[in-house]
Amino acid sequence: MHSKSRSKGTKKSIKKELVVFVSVCIFCVVLVLSSASIYFTYNSTEQSLTKSLKETSKLVSDKITKQIDSYSLIAESVGLYLKNSNGSPSEMQKYLDQLCSQNNLTEINIINQANISISNGKDFQKDNAYNEAKKGSSFLSDPVIEKDTAYFEYAHPYENTVIIIKIPYSAIGTIISNVKLGSTGSTYILNNKGVKVAHSDFSLVLKQQNNLEDVKTNPQVYAEVAGLETAMTQGKTGFGFYVWKGDKKFGSYNPIAKTNGWSV
């Protein structure tokens, strides 16, 4: 009787161990498969986000470049009109006003070799965009700040004159504000020194906020985003994760052609 009892006990023990072993094996397999599934899902999502953001930043960059191209065409048309026109100054001004109205521009000036606008007599000798264009190439300025407003200047050399187009901030500001990623995403443009050129928060543009400067006094907050923005000021294309004021974020950046080192 004792021998049979021990035999039954041994069988129960082996069966129990077998059940435990199989259960552990199943658990391990499920754990491995779940971990693999999570990893591949995360990896796939990250790749999808990276691709989507890179495509978006390139799209915005190209759109702004096309906008700049349109200013070049307008400036060329002004130059041709001036070259072939025998009209009076008032007729010239009428033509310039019509161009402004058609293209949502604030003002167009034609600057002669004496640094004076032939349209309104304004002296452009100290105008940065004008002086850059005199070197021989078209130039789009950073935003010119005037109290609580801002505008851009596009200066285009044409023969012995420089044509300056005054552009409202909204012409570029609207492009980036319309690109909204999710409920908390934003789009902005930096110049080659890290200064905000355009941002959905216009107050940052007005005070010319710069994370590359702010990181010097507050590295704990700005260090990671400054790393990303340093690459932007160097004209690189890329994607990265960073922590901003306790929140984990990610972003993509792309240089903007035909600008003085802008990046979106």
Side-chain angles (χ1 to χ4, degrees):
M1 291 291 292
H2 289 294
S3 177
K4 289 182 179 180
S5 179
R6 279 197 299 267
S7 178
K8 287 183 181 179
T10 302
K11 287 181 180 179
K12 287 182 179 180
S13 178
I14 293 172
K15 187 177 180 181
K16 184 178 180 182
E17 289 177 3
L18 187 61
V19 170
V20 171
F21 174 75
V22 171
S23 299
V24 170
C25 287
I26 293 172
F27 174 79
C28 290
V29 169
V30 171
L31 182 63
V32 169
L33 291 175
S34 298
S35 299
S37 175
I38 291 169
Y39 170 78
F40 286 119
T41 300
Y42 175 84
N43 194 48
S44 175
T45 302
E46 183 178 327
Q47 288 179 359
S48 178
L49 286 171
T50 301
K51 182 182 178 183
S52 176
L53 274 183
K54 283 183 176 179
E55 288 174 350
T56 303
S57 59
K58 181 69 166 59
L59 184 66
V60 176
S61 171
D62 289 345
K63 190 168 185 177
I64 293 172
T65 299
K66 287 180 181 178
Q67 187 87 346
I68 296 168
D69 286 339
S70 72
Y71 299 141
S72 178
L73 289 173
I74 292 169
E76 283 288 319
S77 68
V78 171
L80 286 170
Y81 183 90
L82 177 66
K83 185 177 181 179
N84 300 309
S85 172
N86 295 316
S88 65
S90 62
E91 288 177 335
M92 169 61 77
Q93 189 59 56
K94 184 178 179 181
Y95 170 72
L96 296 178
D97 290 343
Q98 186 178 16
L99 274 180
C100 288
S101 176
Q102 290 172 346
N103 296 280
N104 189 32
L105 303 171
T106 305
E107 185 178 86
I108 299 175
N109 281 283
I110 304 167
I111 318 304
N112 62 23
Q113 290 180 305
N115 309 317
I116 302 298
S117 169
I118 65 174
S119 307
N120 56 28
K122 182 181 175 182
D123 190 340
F124 278 79
Q125 186 173 4
K126 295 182 179 179
D127 187 277
N128 180 57
Y130 167 68
N131 286 309
E132 288 293 333
K134 280 203 303 181
K135 298 174 184 178
S137 299
S138 300
F139 183 83
L140 177 65
S141 76
D142 287 346
V144 180
I145 310 297
E146 287 186 349
K147 296 182 180 178
D148 59 349
T149 62
Y151 62 89
F152 301 94
E153 284 186 333
Y154 180 77
H156 183 81
Y158 187 88
E159 296 186 352
N160 60 350
T161 66
V162 172
I163 296 154
I164 293 187
I165 301 173
K166 187 175 180 181
I167 306 159
Y169 172 82
S170 60
I172 291 175
T174 300
I175 292 175
I176 65 158
S177 63
N178 285 340
V179 182
K180 188 101 173 142
L181 301 170
S183 59
T184 60
S186 64
T187 307
Y188 61 91
I189 299 172
L190 303 180
N191 69 9
N192 59 4
K193 294 181 175 61
V195 177
K196 299 289 188 301
V197 167
H199 198 288
S200 52
D201 183 354
F202 184 54
S203 67
L204 299 179
V205 176
L206 290 178
K207 63 184 181 184
Q208 298 179 299
Q209 193 272 333
N210 186 340
N211 290 333
L212 303 189
E213 289 298 321
D214 290 344
V215 72
K216 296 174 183 177
T217 54
N218 194 350
Q220 188 173 359
V221 172
Y222 294 97
E224 291 194 20
V225 70
L228 225 67
E229 292 184 359
T230 296
M232 292 174 69
T233 63
Q234 295 169 348
K236 296 178 181 179
T237 298
F239 176 92
F241 291 88
Y242 62 99
V243 175
W244 173 251
K245 296 182 178 179
D247 292 329
K248 292 181 179 179
K249 294 181 176 288
F250 51 90
S252 175
Y253 46 92
N254 203 89
I256 303 173
K258 300 185 180 181
T259 64
N260 185 30
W262 288 10
S263 180
V264 60

